[in-house]
Every structure is written in C-alpha cells, then in structure tokens.
Amino acid sequence: MSATVPASKGPMIVLAGNSHPELTQLVATKLGIRLGDISIYHKPNRESIVEIRESIRGKDVYIIQTGTKDVNNDVMELLIIAYAAKTSSARSIVGVIPYLPYSKQSKMRKRGSIVCKLLATMISKAGFTHIITMDLHQKEIQGFFQVPVDNLRASPFLIDYIQESIPDYRNAVIVARNPNSVKRATSYAERLRLGIAVIHGEERIPESEEDDGRNSPPIAEMEGLTTGAQPSKLEILPITIPKEKPPLSVVGDVGGRIAIIVDDMIDDVDSFVKVAEILKDRGAYKVFVMATHGILSHDAPRVIEDSCIDEVVVTNTVPHEVKKMQCHKIKTVDISSLLAEAIRRIHHGESMSYLFRNIGMDD
C-alpha cells in the first residue's frame, strides 16, 4: 500500500465504461495511474457482458461512465459494472457520472413518472457507495439517491474560457434563456462583473383540444342525470384558466454587445437558435452559447452551423468529437482535471469544499 494512502483506504482502481473512453483516459493520466483491466461487450441479443480481468478485492473502485445518445445501454453498463465490483468484494465503489442520464425527467408529468428518481434508486441499489456528477439539471436530484452525491460545477472552466478566448468580453451581457435560468445567469454575471438580460415569453404552440375528462361530473351524479332523477348535489368544478405568456422578448439591453447564453445543457438547439435570432434583432453583434453538457441530439450540428449563433462552447462531459467535425462552431472545454481532483480528494479523505470555492448554489 502506498504511504500516501490512509490505512482506512485500499488501493485505487479506475474502471472505464464504453460511453466516453477519451475522458476516462484523460482522468487516469491526470491521476497518474493505469486504467483497470475490464472487458465490456454485447452478446448477439444485445445483452451486456462485463468481465473484470484483475482482482479488485479490498480496493477502492471508481467507475467512469457518462450518458450519451445510447443512454439505455450506458445505464445498464454502469449498473452491471457496479454490481460486478460489489460481488468481487471491492472495498468501496464510487460512480463518476459526469452527465447523469434522465436528469431532465426529474419532475412529475401528467400520467407520467419521475424517471430520474427510478434511476437514482437503481444506482443506489447496484452497490455504489458514493456518486460524483456534474451540473445536475435540478439540484434537488441529489436527494433522490440513497448514497452521498457530490455535484461538481463546470462554471469556473466556462468563465475562464470567456475571459481567455473572448477578447472583448467586457462588452458582453449574460443572457438567461428563460426566467428559470436567471439565478445561473446572475451567478456568472457577478463573477464576470457583467450585466444580464432575460428572455421572457414563449413561442406559440397550439394546444390539443382533447378532453381528458378532468371536468366531468362524478359517475353517481351522471347516472342520476341519465335516469331523469335529480342528483342530490351537483358539484361544479371551477374552470382552470390557462397561462398566457407573451411572445418571446428580451428584458435588458443587448444592443451593440456580445450576448452570452448560459445553461446547464444544450440538446435540442432549436430554442437556442430562436433566442439567438431575437438577440441579433435587438442589436447583439455576437451570440455565444455556454453549456456544461453538449448532448446535441439529432441534426443539432447542422442547425448550429446554419444559424446566427457564432459559437457553442460545451465541456467534454459528453463525447461530441463527431459533431465537432460537422460544425466548426462547436468548441470544447476539458473538465477532466476537476474529475481527477475530486477522485483524488475522495480517495484520500480530503475535504471537497476546495472544489466549490466562490461557487454559489445557483450555478
């Protein structure tokens, strides 16, 4: 055992899933260790097979797996690797999940479910003792897990990119894409000493006229009406008035300035393109989009390439090298050093507060 490792800790071993091998290698290089020997492949019926080809008994295992477009396969690989490590008598199992899949499904929908809660329960039951993730879509997701969760922030890396790669960033304004993003935009603006603007309203989308029966009278009263009998009491439910938001508009001055839109992820880019067009119409001469997770689904690279957005800056929590070849506007910020430092601190029992210096809960 290394002299630098406390006696309460075992040797460290990092196992890589198939979702993002480049990021895993960067983390291992910064830690100065080799990756653990593991084989993950699929049978002809698409079942995942995991083989850990070295002893991990009594070791502290760190499994690095993120969410990609093959999200369901990524989830199953993560769970199977953790369970394999658990049954192989690993001392502790830490999941390093830079982008947590299904994090956008963290609120209850009509006739739906909170899928992120289900995933968190599955992860907790698979054998993990700790989770490291980054910029959860909702901070409350941490409460879904039954094990400790460290939610790292990528904002220092994105702020550093703004200061280093945008020469005239002092003439910029931070833009919240919707009122829900105001706190995040304010946090960026305060550290950069810049002003903010907010996009208010929404694009008009026709609502379905389908009646789901929620205003129907109770069955017993309906039976009385159909037989001609007078019901004892007919409860009339109040009509719910729908929200009427104004068309998209900009609250704040962006004329002659650089507009920097900040968000936690960029997936469907159509809404970002519409916001960029409005900002350009209001006089912004450049539009940047900053986000932690560059999911960029479907034909997002082509849409960005053809849009008025000048640059999209994302971190490498999600692999997007192929998308960068399709769109020269996509730039990448490497956050592997943050993940490596988090792993090192957890392994040596050091405080994680250093990684959250000058970072507010609103990032």
Side-chain angles (χ1 to χ4, degrees):
M1 181 182 295
S2 173
T4 60
V5 181
S8 60
K9 302 296 289 184
M12 176 194 300
I13 183 169
V14 175
L15 299 178
N18 285 333
S19 62
H20 201 345
E22 296 84 3
L23 176 62
T24 308
Q25 187 59 60
L26 286 171
V27 172
T29 300
K30 288 178 170 59
L31 288 171
I33 62 174
R34 67 170 182 84
L35 290 175
D37 190 1
I38 185 172
S39 174
I40 307 171
Y41 59 94
H42 300 283
K43 296 175 65 176
N45 63 358
R46 297 301 297 166
E47 289 184 359
S48 298
I49 304 294
V50 171
E51 295 179 0
I52 302 175
R53 295 178 171 176
E54 61 181 283
S55 174
I56 59 174
R57 181 178 297 272
K59 296 182 180 179
D60 297 312
V61 177
Y62 296 82
I63 303 171
I64 302 180
Q65 179 85 322
T66 192
T68 66
K69 63 180 182 180
D70 194 8
V71 58
N72 295 327
N73 189 65
D74 297 333
V75 169
M76 284 307 302
E77 281 187 9
L78 176 67
L79 298 177
I80 296 173
I81 297 172
Y83 194 64
K86 179 181 179 180
T87 54
S88 298
S89 302
R91 181 192 295 263
S92 65
I93 306 170
V94 179
V96 183
I97 315 172
Y99 168 62
L100 181 68
Y102 290 101
S103 60
K104 294 187 74 173
Q105 298 189 51
S106 57
K107 293 183 178 180
M108 190 65 183
R109 303 290 183 182
K110 183 176 68 175
R111 302 190 185 93
S113 62
I114 306 176
V115 182
C116 192
K117 167 62 175 175
L118 172 63
L119 178 60
T121 303
M122 293 166 61
I123 289 175
S124 301
K125 296 293 185 181
F128 287 103
T129 57
H130 201 118
I131 297 295
I132 301 173
T133 187
M134 183 171 291
D135 281 341
L136 290 171
H137 188 59
Q138 300 288 340
K139 306 299 186 296
E140 294 78 4
I141 293 175
Q142 287 181 262
F144 292 169
F145 291 85
Q146 300 169 21
V147 296
V149 177
D150 283 308
N151 181 27
L152 305 177
R153 308 292 200 275
S155 58
F157 292 85
L158 297 176
I159 288 174
D160 185 66
Y161 182 91
I162 293 173
Q163 294 174 324
E164 298 294 332
S165 303
I166 304 179
D168 48 349
Y169 81 93
R170 291 292 182 187
N171 187 37
V173 58
I174 305 298
V175 178
R177 189 166 61 93
N178 52 55
N180 295 331
S181 303
V182 170
K183 290 183 178 180
R184 181 187 300 272
T186 301
S187 179
Y188 275 72
E190 288 175 348
R191 280 179 281 174
L192 289 166
R193 308 294 191 270
L194 301 175
I196 71 168
V198 183
I199 304 298
H200 181 57
E202 63 183 359
E203 186 185 10
R204 297 299 185 187
I205 300 176
E207 295 187 359
S208 172
E209 297 296 331
E210 180 183 359
D211 183 8
D212 65 1
R214 285 183 292 179
N215 289 323
S216 300
I219 295 177
E221 295 174 354
M222 288 296 294
E223 291 176 350
L225 292 176
T226 55
T227 58
Q230 184 68 26
S232 59
K233 182 180 179 182
L234 182 61
E235 296 181 0
I236 305 299
L237 299 178
I239 298 175
T240 304
I241 301 175
K243 294 189 295 184
E244 290 288 343
K245 289 187 178 181
L248 285 174
S249 61
V250 182
V251 180
D253 181 21
V254 297
R257 309 178 79 175
I258 300 172
I260 303 176
I261 306 170
V262 295
D263 213 331
D264 65 312
M265 68 176 68
I266 176 169
D267 188 0
D268 181 9
V269 300
D270 290 338
S271 58
F272 287 90
V273 171
K274 290 183 176 66
V275 168
E277 291 172 349
I278 293 173
L279 292 171
K280 290 274 187 167
D281 291 341
R282 288 295 187 93
Y285 71 92
K286 282 185 180 180
V287 176
F288 289 78
V289 176
M290 300 274 177
T292 302
H293 309 298
I295 303 171
L296 303 172
S297 300
H298 304 301
D299 58 348
R302 179 191 59 79
V303 175
I304 294 172
E305 187 70 24
D306 297 338
S307 73
C308 61
I309 297 175
D310 294 277
E311 197 166 283
V312 173
V313 182
V314 294
T315 71
N316 57 344
T317 57
V318 178
H320 52 265
E321 292 304 317
V322 175
K323 297 179 176 65
K324 287 181 66 174
M325 291 188 289
Q326 301 171 359
C327 177
H328 77 283
K329 296 181 180 180
I330 301 174
K331 308 298 180 182
T332 305
V333 175
D334 180 22
I335 47 81
S336 60
S337 59
L338 179 59
L339 296 176
E341 180 64 11
I343 292 173
R344 190 194 68 80
R345 286 179 172 272
I346 288 176
H347 185 67
H348 292 279
E350 299 177 12
S351 172
M352 296 287 284
S353 61
Y354 177 82
L355 303 180
F356 296 91
R357 291 178 308 166
N358 303 320
I359 296 177
M361 292 298 296
D362 299 325
D363 276 19

